Amino acid sequence: MAKIPFNVDAYTARLIGRENVSKLDGAIIELIKNTYDADASICILYYDNVTDSLYLADNGVGMTYDIIKRHWMTIGRSSKKDTYVTDSGRIQTGAKGIGRFALDRIADRCTMLTGTGESEKKIIWTVDWAEFRGDMNITNVNEDIDNSDLSLNREVIKLIRRQRGKHGTIFKMASLREQWNEDLIKNLRENLSSLIPYELSDIFKIYCFDNESTVKSAEVFSNIDSFAYDYKIEFNVGSKDNSYDIVYKIWRDEFSFGAEDDSIIEE
């Protein structure tokens, strides 16, 4: 008996991505997590209101043609499933293989420029999400890969040239699904400030630009302590003489007993 392989309707695959990345903030965060997983030290988010385009750039390891073909272009396949620690020792944050659909949540069209630094050539990948139609199998959706370049405004270029080197990835998203304005960017900055713990701020920085931003004003600083929590734990693990020593602190903010707090805890 002949074996018949499963196939996936392209529109269904797109819906799976939208179910997992349903909100704009979640989509942005998913892409930023990917930059962290790529061992980037900076992630740049830039909205250009002249062209109504959104850019996301990092100085991570970049992607080769083979990685794009085998992992990026294969839904549900992620190299993070087997290699969950990066070369620099970071624990990677995701392995579902659907993070690329965050791009679909943000915009209709996307261009990605990426390079690993192993050669002067860079790879450009483009997608128009309208191609994911209900009458087309995902195996028939082919994207263009070529060598090209992208340009950004001067402040962003200044930062990229200083930090990016010859490796990293830049996304340009056009035909945005949301109307980007000052309030949206302000709320996004506030949400991003809770994404990276203060302890990681020396090795991973996020910048959120608009057309008026400078490098200094665009930096997003950790503000995790301003967000509500029920319990918070801080711990350090050390080893000595083949044994482990754990020092921890716990903050409890689940209930507020006012002046009776001490007596209730004692009881």
Side-chain angles (χ1 to χ4, degrees), residues 174-208:
S175 298
L176 302 175
R177 302 193 188 283
E178 252 84 9
Q179 182 176 357
W180 284 65
N181 52 42
E182 186 177 343
D183 289 338
L184 186 151
I185 295 174
K186 179 182 178 181
N187 291 333
L188 184 59
R189 283 182 63 95
E190 291 176 353
N191 289 333
L192 291 179
S193 68
S194 66
L195 182 62
I196 301 300
Y198 176 78
E199 292 77 9
L200 294 181
S201 59
D202 289 338
I203 64 170
F204 185 67
K205 295 183 182 295
I206 300 174
Y207 296 86
C208 188

Side-chain angles (χ1 to χ4, degrees), residues 110-123:
C110 175
T111 301
M112 176 180 71
L113 177 73
T114 187
T116 62
E118 295 179 359
S119 69
E120 294 297 326
K121 292 184 177 180
K122 293 179 174 61
I123 296 171

Side-chain angles (χ1 to χ4, degrees), residues 143-157:
E143 310 307 341
D144 297 326
I145 296 180
D146 199 357
N147 297 304
S148 186
D149 204 348
L150 296 174
S151 60
L152 304 172
N153 77 3
R154 292 182 179 180
E155 283 289 294
V156 180
I157 286 178

Side-chain angles (χ1 to χ4, degrees), residues 56-189:
L56 190 139
D58 70 69
N59 63 345
V61 295
M63 287 186 281
T64 63
Y65 180 93
D66 186 59
I67 290 174
I68 292 175
K69 182 178 179 180
R70 293 177 57 240
H71 297 288
W72 181 261
M73 289 295 297
T74 303
I75 309 306
R77 180 179 296 170
S78 173
S79 59
K80 303 173 190 178
K81 293 176 181 178
D82 300 318
T83 309
Y84 54 85
V85 179
T86 69
D87 290 341
S88 70
R90 295 180 185 178
I91 303 298
Q92 302 202 54
T93 60
K96 292 185 289 185
I98 57 172
R100 66 225 65 180
F101 283 108
L103 298 166
D104 172 38
R105 174 60 185 82
I106 298 169
D108 281 338
R109 299 192 306 276
C110 175
T111 301
M112 176 180 71
L113 177 73
T114 187
T116 62
E118 295 179 359
S119 69
E120 294 297 326
K121 292 184 177 180
K122 293 179 174 61
I123 296 171
I124 192 166
W125 172 90
T126 62
V127 60
D128 185 340
W129 294 105
E131 292 187 13
F132 283 77
R133 301 185 300 270
D135 60 347
M136 179 183 290
N137 289 328
I138 199 168
T139 51
N140 294 327
V141 178
N142 300 311
E143 310 307 341
D144 297 326
I145 296 180
D146 199 357
N147 297 304
S148 186
D149 204 348
L150 296 174
S151 60
L152 304 172
N153 77 3
R154 292 182 179 180
E155 283 289 294
V156 180
I157 286 178
K158 184 191 303 183
L159 182 59
I160 289 178
R161 285 179 175 172
R162 189 167 70 237
Q163 299 284 350
R164 185 168 181 257
K166 296 181 179 180
H167 54 83
T169 302
I170 299 175
F171 291 98
K172 178 183 178 182
M173 290 158 271
S175 298
L176 302 175
R177 302 193 188 283
E178 252 84 9
Q179 182 176 357
W180 284 65
N181 52 42
E182 186 177 343
D183 289 338
L184 186 151
I185 295 174
K186 179 182 178 181
N187 291 333
L188 184 59
R189 283 182 63 95

